Amino acid sequence: MKLQEIPIDTIENIKIGHAEDVEAGTGCTVLICEAGAPTGLDVRGGGPASRESELLNPLAAAQAIHAVLLSGGSAFGLDAAGGVMDCLQKRDIGFDTGIVKVPLVCQSCIFDLGVGRSDVYPDRDMARRACEEAFLGGSVREGNVGAGMGATVGKYKDSSRMMKSGLGCYAVAVGELKVGAVVSVNALGDIFDIDTGRKLAGMLCEDGQSLDSTEAAFYADTRRQENFFTGNTTIGAVITNAAFTKSEMNKIAAMAQNGLARAINPVHTTADGDSVYAMSAGSVAADINVVGTLAARVLGRAVGRAVLKAQPAFGLKTASMLLEK
């Protein structure tokens, strides 16, 4: 069967919404599964900011969660998950304890404090607005939206050489099987098209008119760096209508990280907090290896869309500006 690109909002049982503060350069993106989704998480970066990650450990009792929140604000943004809980609780969504239903919400954040304002972070109100957009439905926005509002790439040198990135989505169907990805690309490294190998965005040359090589810059000075910049992190979520357990979704999340490795270089450094969730929201029977391979493909393609859909902001160039030349 051939892969068919599909809108990500056609994957059943998952609702996606964004909210952002354009001036402050931050935002959040929520993925909601009202019935609960067996979910896995794979963290490869050295500096993650996250909430309730232990829920996704195969040994933890909870077999499903109700939402994943991707946000800016670094660790300051972790308060925003309370807004998702508020929204879901009002809709009677959550794990039934026999006393009250508790919405299970996991969250990961990017460091976007270097653009816009460093004293404004995603909060409960912003997360509630993202949930409201998710429940309204409609096409999922990309670019300078949600968790991608303050995303940038190519930050190994000074900020004058980095570029604006954003949030990207990509999904495919193979027969009745559907797999998609949402990702906020805030990487230290450079971004590549996973099919052609073409460099799309990353660290600019000193003249700001073309792309330099972060990998080459790494090799120019191999001495240990004690104060390596940590203001990065790419975070994303893979979603599928296939039926898997939490343990199996952890494996799929790990395989999905291969998509980041194809699209971002260097990747998974100590200066990144790269984290990928994987959510099972359907009942389609599928092979874990097939879905894991598709997860890597859609995540890699979503990374490319994140930089191609980004719009100029904060005085930073975008991939589309360079490709137009």
Side-chain angles (χ1 to χ4, degrees):
M1 293 185 182
K2 293 184 178 179
L3 296 183
Q4 176 188 357
E5 183 180 351
I6 60 172
I8 196 165
D9 53 47
T10 61
I11 298 179
E12 51 266 39
N13 303 322
I14 293 286
K15 295 178 171 61
I16 302 171
H18 308 300
E20 57 279 325
D21 184 324
V22 175
E23 179 185 0
T26 194
C28 58
T29 297
V30 67
L31 297 91
I32 298 170
C33 182
E34 297 178 60
T39 300
L41 169 64
D42 189 87
V43 180
R44 300 284 174 93
S50 57
R51 177 188 186 275
E52 293 276 47
S53 299
E54 279 302 307
L55 282 177
L56 308 182
N57 186 320
L59 298 179
Q63 294 304 303
I65 64 170
H66 304 96
V68 167
L69 181 65
L70 310 175
S71 85
S74 189
F76 295 109
L78 291 172
D79 285 344
V84 180
M85 292 187 69
D86 292 343
C87 181
L88 298 185
Q89 184 182 38
K90 289 177 180 177
R91 292 175 177 267
D92 198 35
I93 298 169
F95 176 75
D96 192 349
T97 65
I99 300 172
V100 64
K101 286 188 177 180
V102 180
L104 301 182
V105 181
C106 294
Q107 180 182 1
S108 288
C109 306
I110 67 168
F111 186 104
D112 55 5
L113 307 182
V115 299
R117 294 177 56 177
S118 61
D119 61 343
V120 176
Y121 327 111
D123 56 15
R124 284 176 174 247
D125 180 65
M126 183 183 288
R128 278 191 290 265
R129 289 191 283 115
C131 288
E132 290 168 2
E133 179 174 289
F135 280 109
L136 283 175
S139 58
V140 180
R141 297 181 290 141
E142 297 179 86
N144 294 14
V145 300
M149 185 62 234
T152 52
V153 295
K155 291 170 279 188
Y156 184 61
K157 298 293 186 179
D158 60 81
S159 60
S160 67
R161 296 173 66 177
M162 68 185 186
M163 293 178 65
K164 183 72 182 75
S165 180
L167 181 135
C169 303
Y170 189 78
V172 298
V174 186
E176 61 179 349
L177 173 66
K178 300 175 184 177
V179 183
V182 177
V183 62
S184 172
V185 181
N186 192 55
L188 174 75
D190 303 325
I191 311 302
F192 297 81
D193 183 294
I194 66 168
D195 292 317
T196 66
R198 182 182 186 183
K199 188 182 293 187
L200 302 175
M203 185 175 70
L204 293 167
C205 293
E206 290 187 11
D207 63 6
Q209 302 304 308
S210 58
L211 290 169
D212 206 339
S213 169
T214 300
E215 183 179 8
F218 263 32
Y219 303 152
D221 185 359
T222 60
R223 294 173 298 176
R224 181 181 179 90
Q225 299 192 43
E226 298 295 341
N227 296 307
F228 201 44
F229 181 57
T230 58
N232 307 290
T233 295
T234 295
I235 53 176
V238 169
I239 57 177
T240 181
N241 66 347
F244 291 107
T245 65
K246 178 172 66 169
S247 179
E248 290 170 326
M249 292 311 294
N250 271 279
K251 176 59 177 176
I252 289 171
M255 293 181 71
Q257 286 274 15
N258 294 327
L260 295 191
R262 295 173 195 163
I264 305 171
N265 186 40
V267 70
H268 302 150
T269 72
T270 59
D272 293 285
D274 303 328
S275 303
V276 175
Y277 296 87
M279 306 176 73
S280 168
S283 58
V284 173
D287 181 80
I288 187 173
N289 300 298
V290 173
V291 175
T293 301
L294 283 172
R297 167 157 287 279
V298 296
L299 186 58
R301 291 296 298 270
V303 168
R305 287 182 67 91
V307 296
L308 292 172
K309 291 288 185 178
Q311 299 88 42
F314 316 113
L316 301 175
K317 288 185 170 66
T318 63
S320 59
M321 294 170 67
L322 294 184
L323 294 175
E324 288 172 357
K325 293 182 178 181

